[in-house]
Amino acid sequence: MVRGMIYGLLAVILPISLIAHPHPAASQTMLSCAGRSEVVNFLDRNFAEKLTAVGLVNENAVLEVYAAESGTWTLVVTDVHGISCILLSGDSWETMPALPGLAT
């Protein structure tokens, strides 16, 4: 189940990373990156979001999902240097219960 969620998230992230790849208009975009502790504190303080899921992207990055009981969620990627960048955020996050007999 968790593996399926991670694959689903990667299916969203990969196209976005291709779209967001630096190009001449990159100077018009703003990155939301900071030290991991700053990002985690910001999400907790402003949205009451807590770490909900985590997955290894590659040997250089970790994908983290932060969610709140209110349903807000934020997708964060953290590199090996401790720099975290907010990729996506949204509403209506729901944690799905594991189905009996279904291997995860």
Side-chain angles (χ1 to χ4, degrees):
M1 168 106 168
V2 173
R3 183 176 295 180
M5 286 188 343
I6 298 297
Y7 287 144
L9 290 173
L10 288 176
V12 171
I13 293 169
L14 292 177
I16 289 172
S17 66
L18 291 174
I19 293 168
H21 186 71
H23 51 78
S27 61
Q28 298 172 4
T29 63
M30 185 171 82
L31 292 177
S32 300
C33 300
R36 184 178 182 278
S37 61
E38 293 174 67
V39 171
V40 171
N41 289 335
F42 173 82
L43 295 174
D44 184 35
R45 214 175 30 251
N46 293 290
F47 303 103
E49 294 182 358
K50 307 289 185 204
L51 185 62
T52 303
V54 63
L56 188 62
V57 176
N58 58 34
E59 64 276 354
N60 296 315
V62 173
L63 175 75
E64 299 171 298
V65 178
Y66 290 83
E69 288 185 21
S70 66
T72 64
W73 58 269
T74 304
L75 188 62
V76 176
V77 171
T78 302
D79 69 12
V80 294
H81 304 291
I83 301 299
S84 293
C85 296
I86 295 175
L87 295 180
L88 299 168
S89 63
D91 296 312
S92 302
W93 179 267
E94 291 186 35
T95 302
M96 305 304 290
L99 297 175
L102 188 63
T104 57

